Amino acid sequence: MRAAVKPVMGPGCPVGLQRTWFIGIAAALRAPRGTERRRLALGGVPAECTTPALASASGPTVLYLHGGGYCIGSPRTCRSITGHLAKTCGAKVYALDYRLAPEHRHPAALEDALAGYRALLAQGIPPSRLVIAGDSAGGGLAVATAVALRDAKLPLPAALVLISPWVDLACSGETHASVGRRDPLLTTAGLRRWAKDYLGDRPAEDPAGSPLYADLSGLPPMLIQTGSEEILHADAIRLRERAEQAGVAVALREHPGLWHDFQMYAGWLRDSDQALAEIADFIRRRVGTR
């Protein structure tokens, strides 16, 4: 990964090439057997629904927001996570194909996430069975979406699942310095370019784009997973601290020796399988389907 992926994720590589490369890498990480996928739209936003063969009508529904620095990625690039999550949890998982920067700057991604969530509510899905999940930038977007839902006085989901969340687009966490060289995927310079492409002239500490700086009070319970060898490790730690200070129930799971978004390797790595099993257990407990 250090040789084949990290250089492409840096600031010197055009976004178009990054998108193509990411799709190629993700193609090797396939969804498990026993799931079905279909394309659809949620609130006018393209999406992909992954359903397990034995899905229950009363099971959980997950709105999944993919990673990629708000500039790359799609439902195709997170199929290894959404497929294994659907199968392990018995959930319908809707991966949203939200608009990307720099063509569509903030708040386009947030608007799409809100539209997708509202569409699920309009289908009659009780919020008590809804979960918003995401990885990397999608994890940050999940928190920002929950904050916006709270501020709009809309029903909140039962839980948030945040995989290696990027919640500080100012890139001020101490692991940018301490882990930066060891991280096999990301660079601070690359993240800062994505942040600029996404935020435009907005400050990097804008709470709507960097929810680490938002008021988190009243948000649903969170499960945060992070690897010790990722540049965003400090984001996860500080998010837990901020959530606890706001009175939010939060569980942080740190995985020693593992890297950013290692959950994508489900079916290949036992640690990835165990992490997704933990997520599935958390979701089942939150929606009452244990």
Side-chain angles (χ1 to χ4, degrees):
M1 285 188 292
R2 285 192 179 95
V5 179
K6 190 169 184 175
V8 179
M9 295 296 112
C13 187
V15 168
L17 179 57
Q18 288 179 332
R19 290 173 181 170
T20 302
W21 189 262
F22 194 17
I23 289 172
I25 293 295
L29 306 172
R30 297 179 179 177
R33 294 179 179 178
T35 60
E36 298 179 352
R37 290 193 306 271
R38 61 186 176 95
R39 297 288 298 179
L40 69 161
L42 286 177
V45 183
E48 184 175 276
C49 179
T50 302
T51 308
L54 301 177
S56 168
S58 61
T61 296
V62 178
L63 177 64
Y64 194 87
L65 306 172
H66 66 80
Y70 298 102
C71 294
I72 68 175
S74 71
R76 293 175 62 185
T77 61
C78 64
R79 284 175 179 170
S80 59
I81 293 180
T82 55
H84 282 90
L85 185 57
K87 186 173 182 179
T88 305
C89 194
K92 283 187 176 181
V93 182
Y94 292 86
L96 203 64
D97 200 0
Y98 58 85
R99 288 171 289 170
L100 299 176
E103 298 93 333
H104 305 283
R105 298 187 188 274
H106 177 81
L110 180 58
E111 290 172 347
D112 288 353
L114 290 169
Y117 184 83
R118 289 192 183 101
L120 293 175
L121 290 178
Q123 291 180 18
I125 301 172
S128 61
R129 295 196 176 278
L130 272 171
V131 173
I132 302 179
D135 67 279
S136 194
L141 182 56
V143 180
T145 301
V147 170
L149 290 169
R150 180 205 62 199
D151 292 348
K153 295 182 171 52
L154 289 170
L156 293 174
L160 302 176
V161 174
L162 313 170
I163 297 171
S164 297
W166 187 25
V167 291
D168 177 18
L169 275 62
C171 299
S172 65
E174 62 88 16
T175 46
H176 280 273
S178 62
V179 182
R181 290 189 177 183
R182 299 201 309 269
D183 188 307
L185 294 177
L186 302 177
T187 68
T188 301
L191 288 168
R192 283 178 173 159
R193 190 194 77 178
W194 283 340
K196 180 65 175 176
D197 284 347
Y198 176 56
L199 293 174
D201 294 331
R202 289 173 177 263
E205 296 85 0
D206 185 332
S210 293
L212 181 69
Y213 303 100
D215 172 14
L216 304 180
S217 60
L219 295 194
M222 302 178 183
L223 171 64
I224 306 169
Q225 290 185 342
T226 180
S228 67
E229 297 301 296
E230 66 169 301
I231 206 169
L232 298 181
H233 184 56
D235 281 39
I237 294 171
R238 292 183 296 158
L239 179 61
R240 177 192 61 184
E241 293 170 351
R242 292 273 296 143
E244 288 177 340
Q245 291 167 3
V248 176
V250 56
L252 173 66
R253 298 290 182 262
E254 301 180 67
H255 294 263
L258 293 173
W259 54 87
H260 186 72
D261 270 7
F262 71 90
Q263 293 84 349
M264 291 181 69
Y265 295 83
W268 289 46
L269 293 179
R270 182 168 54 186
D271 289 306
S272 305
D273 294 340
Q274 291 173 345
L276 284 171
E278 178 184 66
I279 290 173
D281 183 66
F282 173 77
I283 290 175
R284 286 193 295 264
R285 284 188 284 111
R286 292 307 312 166
V287 303
T289 57
R290 273 185 72 88

